[in-house]
Amino acid sequence: MTDENSQEPSGQEPFDEAEYRRRQRSRANLMAWMLGGLAILFFFITIAKMQIFA
Amino acid sequence: MAQSLTHGETALPADWRDLFALTKPRVMSLVVFTALCGLLAAPGEVHPVLAFSSILAIALGAGASGALNQWYEAGLDSKMKRTAGRPLPAGRLDRQTALQFGVGLAAFSLFLMLFASNWQATLLLLVSILFYVFVYTMWLKPRTPQNIVIGGAAGAFPPLIGWVAATGSIAPLPVLLFLLIFLWTPPHFWALALFVRSDYAAAGIPMMPVVAGEKSTRRQILFYAIIMAAGAIAPWALGLTGALYGWTAVILSALFVLLSIQVGTRATGDGDSMQPEKRLFAYSIAYLFILFGAVVADHWWPL
């Protein structure tokens, strides 16, 4: 984390901690949903293959 | 480029919407549709879960190709009005994230295809990704005005992969569908290139209108449209599809050629609104959607 009181080099935007957290949170949520979805998908693929090769 | 991403030592994590935009979602929709049609037109039945997973793998593979394309062309994209707003040239994403995202997505798409389908489809998916990234994006596009002609093969793979995912083997019909997209690509892209010509010229990309001139491009659009029409009707003529597809192909291809004649035989002056070119470009997208839909309809409800 950067020190909020420190001087930013010229031409750079001030660090927006709220935006940083918002992006982190939205990516973490998305990743959780995607991993959950993939676990379910892989489960059903396995079941489908078991049915085919049974 | 990417100057707004770092704030001292801390970089903002990429927004998921920018990562999604890297996958070229609009291009992906055509890829998914043609792949689905290839899969549904194949003989035999595919388990719905495996069919869904195979199409998902193809979509992710196409998304990975798009991301790696944007990673490589970030500098060029910043010079073109049409692409300057993309996440990389606009500075909303850094190149390393784009590269990692593209490579990761490609690897995952191949793994998913192998798990859900067969090695033949996985191999084809790998070839299509490598062809798009290395042959089209890195080699052909910056070097030759034939980039679209040869590079069109990359976009032609999806129906073939869909078919192979369902059957495990290649047959004449999916090869003809591959050929159809391959021949469709030049008139489609050159129609676009005619009305964004100045963009390509500014970026130094040797698109046909920039290198060979407008007149030559118009003639070649017409030439390819005629061969493409023959290629579209070929599956019916060879007895691989029925009359439903056949008549759809005849009518739609005739209209395609008519629009191409309009584009191919006209000359433009300064301030031309390029309406015939825009019309041909828009029609070419609808053409492919309807024609591939007809392949599946013909397979399910033969006349």
Side-chain angles (χ1 to χ4, degrees), chain B residues 12 101 129 213:
Chain B
L12 277 180
F101 177 69
I129 295 170

Side-chain angles (χ1 to χ4, degrees), chain B residues 116-139:
Chain B
S117 177
N118 51 55
W119 68 265
Q120 295 92 327
T122 310
L123 185 64
L124 278 175
L125 184 60
L126 173 67
V127 170
S128 74
I129 295 170
L130 294 178
F131 190 91
Y132 188 75
V133 176
F134 290 103
V135 179
Y136 172 66
T137 303
M138 294 185 181
W139 183 42

Side-chain angles (χ1 to χ4, degrees), chain B residues 249-297:
Chain B
V250 167
I251 294 164
L252 293 183
S253 301
L255 191 54
F256 198 114
V257 172
L258 276 176
L259 291 174
S260 300
I261 290 173
Q262 243 185 340
V263 171
T265 55
R266 84 189 198 105
T268 55
D270 285 340
D272 194 290
S273 63
M274 293 282 191
Q275 282 310 315
E277 291 75 16
K278 288 176 182 168
R279 203 178 304 133
L280 176 62
F281 178 72
Y283 176 75
S284 66
I285 297 170
Y287 172 84
L288 210 62
F289 268 108
I290 300 170
L291 212 54
F292 270 80
V295 173
V296 178

Side-chain angles (χ1 to χ4, degrees), chain A residues 1-2 8-9 11-17 19-24 26-27 30 34 38 41-49 51-52, chain B residues 3-19 47 49-50 52-53 56 92 97 108 111-112 114-118:
Chain A
M1 290 292 101
T2 55
E8 291 289 339
Q12 288 194 339
E13 295 164 19
F15 179 62
D16 184 347
E17 174 125 17
E19 174 64 10
Y20 185 92
R21 293 287 172 218
R22 189 195 67 75
R23 287 193 185 191
Q24 237 182 3
S26 75
R27 278 180 63 167
L30 187 71
M34 279 170 59
L38 282 175
L41 182 65
F42 281 19
F43 170 75
F44 281 111
I45 291 173
T46 308
I47 298 296
K49 289 205 150 186
Q51 286 172 354
I52 291 169
Chain B
Q3 77 282 10
S4 65
L5 287 161
T6 53
H7 302 265
E9 293 298 310
T10 313
L12 277 180
D15 193 284
W16 69 269
R17 278 170 285 254
D18 289 328
L19 291 175
H47 194 289
V49 173
L50 301 184
F52 170 79
S53 306
L56 180 64
R92 298 194 302 274
T97 304
F108 180 73
F111 170 73
L112 180 60
L114 190 62
F115 187 46
S117 177
N118 51 55

Side-chain angles (χ1 to χ4, degrees), chain B residues 21 55-56 110 124 127 171 214 219:
Chain B
I55 297 299
L56 180 64
L110 294 169
L124 278 175
V127 170
E214 210 178 294
R219 268 204 314 266

